[in-house]
C-alpha cells in the first residue's frame, strides 16, 4: 500500500523528537529558571512552511517548561517588516536571518545579541556558522544550510539514452548534456528540454562568485560573470532551456518545470527536496525516479567523489532580539543551541529540510519515501564546499541590487554581456563602493 508523504513525515518526525529529547542540545536544568517561560519566534508562511513549528515543538518536548509561540510574517516582505518591528519594539524574542544579504543591517544596527557562547559549543559540524561572525563575535547561528545541487530526472535521461551525471561534470559537460538531452528527447517524441534555469540572479551569479578563483563581490570587478552568462545565453539560443523572457512572461515556476517533467535537469537548492517529495505524494508533481548530483564545476580540480565540489548557498539563521526580557535569555540561547544542533537537525530532516548539521541526518532524510537511494545523491547532499551567496559586508545589499539589474539585462537580451558588466562596475563604483 502506498504510504502518504504526511504519514511518512509523521513517523520520522516522531523519531526525531524522541531523539531530540535525549540529545546533548537540551538545556540543562540549571541553565534556565524552573518556572514556565514563553518565547516568541518569527516565521513566515506558517501553513506551508513547517520548519518553525517543528523546531518549536521539538524544543518544548525536550524542555517542557518552555513554550515557543510563533509570530507570522509575510515571506516576500519579511526583512522590511522585521526591521520595522524591531524599530517599534514589537519584534519577537528570536527572529530568523533569512539569508546573509541583510545580516549586516541587523548586526550593525545593534539588533542582535552576541551569541558567541552558543556558537562556541556547536563545533565545526554546523555549516554556515562563520557567516555570522563579525570582529571575532558571533551574532546568530544557522539552523539550515541549503546548498545548490543538480536535480535530474532519471526517466528522461533513460528516454534520451544519455548517461546520468556521475559527479565529474564541468560546466561544459553540463551544457553538452543539456543540448544532447533536448535533441534526443525531441527525437523520441517528447517535449521536455535539457534543463531549466530559473529567473533568479543566483542561478548564474551564485555559482560564478563561489567557483571562480579570486572572485570577490566587493571588489567591484564583475568580469568573473562573463563565461557563466555566455554559457546561459548559448543554452537559450540552442533551445535547450526556456529563454528568460519566456520564463518571466509565462511566470514559469521551477517546481512545475521539474516536477511536471518539462526539464530533464535543474540546478536548485536542497530545500527543493521537501517540496518535490510532497508534490509527488499529492499528485502536484508527476511520479518519476530522480536523483541529485554535485553542481557542475569551474574545472576538473574539484570534480569526482574524492573531492569536495564547490557550490553556494546562504545559511538560514536565528538571532536574539536585544529587547528580550533578560529572564528569558538563557532559554533563548538554549533554543538556538537546540535548533542548530543535532536535535533540531533530526527534526528538520524528518520533514525533508536540510539542516545546518547535515552529518547527523543523512540517514534520516534518505529514509523518507520517495528519496533516491544511490550513493551519488547522498554524496551530493552531504559533501560540498558551500560558499555564501551574500558575503557579509556593508556593500553586499547595494551590489546585489545592481547585479540583479545586470542579470535581467543580459538574459533578456537588452544588453550584451560585456556592456552589461561594464555598466554594473560603473554603478558599483559610483553608487555603492565610493559612498
Amino acid at each position: 500500500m502506498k504510504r502518504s508523504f504526511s504519514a511518512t513525515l509523521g513517523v520520522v518526525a516522531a523519531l526525531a523528537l524522541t531523539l531530540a529529547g535525549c540529545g546533548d542540545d537540551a538545556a540543562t536544568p540549571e541553565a534556565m529558571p524552573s518556572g514556565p517561560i514563553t518565547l516568541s519566534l518569527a516565521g513566515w508562511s506558517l501553513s506551508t512552511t513547517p520548519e518553525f513549528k517543528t523546531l518549536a515543538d521539538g524544543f518544548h518536548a525536550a524542555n517542557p517548561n518552555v513554550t515557543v509561540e510563533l509570530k507570522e510574517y509575510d515571506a516576500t516582505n519579511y526583512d522590511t517588516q522585521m526591521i520595522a518591528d524591531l524599530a517599534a519594539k514589537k519584534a519577537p524574542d528570536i527572529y530568523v536571518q533569512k539569508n546573509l544579504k541583510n545580516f549586516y543591517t541587523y548586526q550593525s544596527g545593534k539588533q542582535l545579541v552576541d551569541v558567541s557562547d552558543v556558537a562556541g559549543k556547536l563545533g565545526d559540524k554546523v555549516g554556515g556558522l562563520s557567516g555570522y561572525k563579525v570582529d571575532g563575535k558571533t551574532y546568530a547561528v544557522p539552523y539550515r544550510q541549503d546548498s545548490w545541487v543538480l536535480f535530474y530526472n532519471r526517466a528522461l535521461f533513460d528516454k534520451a539514452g544519455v548517461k546520468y551525471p556521475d559527479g565529474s561534470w564541468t560546466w561544459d559537460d553540463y551544457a553538452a548534456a543539456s543540448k544532447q538531452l533536448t535533441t534526443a528527447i525531441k527525437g523520441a517524441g517528447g517535449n521536455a528540454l535539457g534543463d531549466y534555469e530559473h529567473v533568479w540572479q543566483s542561478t548564474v551569479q551564485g555559482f560564478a562568485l563561489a567557483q571562480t578563483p579570486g572572485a570577490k563581490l566587493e571588489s567591484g570587478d564583475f568580469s568573473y560573470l562573463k563565461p557563466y552568462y555566455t554559457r546561459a545565453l548559448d543554452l537559450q539560443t540552442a533551445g535547450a532551456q526556456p529563454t528568460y523572457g519566456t520564463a518571466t512572461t509565462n511566470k514559469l515556476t521551477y517546481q512545475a518545470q521539474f516536477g511536471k517533467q518539462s526539464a530533464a535537469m535543474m540546478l536548485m537548492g536542497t530545500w527543493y527536496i521537501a517540496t518535490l517529495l510532497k508534490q509527488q505524494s499529492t499528485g502536484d508533481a508527476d511520479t518519476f525516479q530522480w536523483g541529485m548530483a554535485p553542481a557542475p564545476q569551474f574545472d576538473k580540480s574539484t570534480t569526482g567523489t574524492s573531492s569536495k565540489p564547490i557550490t553556494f548557498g546562504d545559511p538560514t539563521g536565528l538571532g536574539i532580539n536585544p529587547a528580550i526580557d533578560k529572564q528569558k535569555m538563557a532559554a533563548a540561547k538554549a533554543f538556538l543551541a537546540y535548533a542548530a544542533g543535532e536535535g533540531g537537525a533530526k527534526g528538520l530532516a524528518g520533514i525533508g529540510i536540510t539542516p545546518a548539521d547535515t552529518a547527523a541526518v543523512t540517514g534520516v532524510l534518505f529514509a523518507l519515501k520517495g528519496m533516491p537511494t544511490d550513493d551519488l545523491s547522498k554524496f551530493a547532499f552531504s559533501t560540498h564546499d558551500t560558499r555564501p551567496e551574500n558575503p557579509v559586508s556593508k556593500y553586499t545589499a547595494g551590489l546585489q541590487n545592481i547585479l540583479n539589474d545586470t542579470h535581467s539585462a543580459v538574459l533578456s537580451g537588452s544588453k550584451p554581456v560585456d556592456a552589461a558588466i561594464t555598466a554594473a562596475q560603473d554603478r558599483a563604483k559610483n553608487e555603492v563602493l565610493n559612498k
Side-chain angles (χ1 to χ4, degrees), residues 250-286:
N250 295 331
K251 298 181 179 180
L252 300 183
T253 68
Y254 68 85
Q255 298 95 331
Q257 289 300 296
F258 190 79
K260 288 295 186 179
Q261 303 191 84
S262 293
M265 299 186 292
M266 183 175 71
L267 289 155
M268 190 53 60
T270 47
W271 65 79
Y272 180 54
I273 294 171
T275 300
L276 181 56
L277 290 177
K278 182 175 182 180
Q279 290 189 337
Q280 285 195 323
S281 74
T282 61
D284 292 324
D286 295 344

Side-chain angles (χ1 to χ4, degrees), residues 187-260:
N191 295 317
L193 301 184
D195 75 274
Y196 177 69
E197 179 180 277
H198 199 43
V199 297
W200 301 328
Q201 70 188 99
S202 51
T203 57
V204 178
Q205 295 177 9
F207 289 113
L209 179 63
Q211 295 180 344
T212 307
K216 292 184 178 180
L217 181 68
E218 62 184 82
S219 71
D221 177 2
F222 305 136
S223 58
Y224 62 87
L225 295 173
K226 183 174 180 178
Y228 288 80
Y229 275 114
T230 300
R231 188 180 303 110
L233 288 170
D234 177 62
L235 286 171
Q236 287 189 173
T237 301
Q241 67 184 30
T243 66
Y244 179 81
T246 297
T248 53
T249 301
N250 295 331
K251 298 181 179 180
L252 300 183
T253 68
Y254 68 85
Q255 298 95 331
Q257 289 300 296
F258 190 79
K260 288 295 186 179

Side-chain angles (χ1 to χ4, degrees), residues 125-141:
K125 295 186 299 181
V126 177
L129 186 59
S130 62
Y132 299 111
K133 184 176 286 189
V134 179
D135 296 330
K137 296 180 180 180
T138 303
Y139 291 90
V141 298

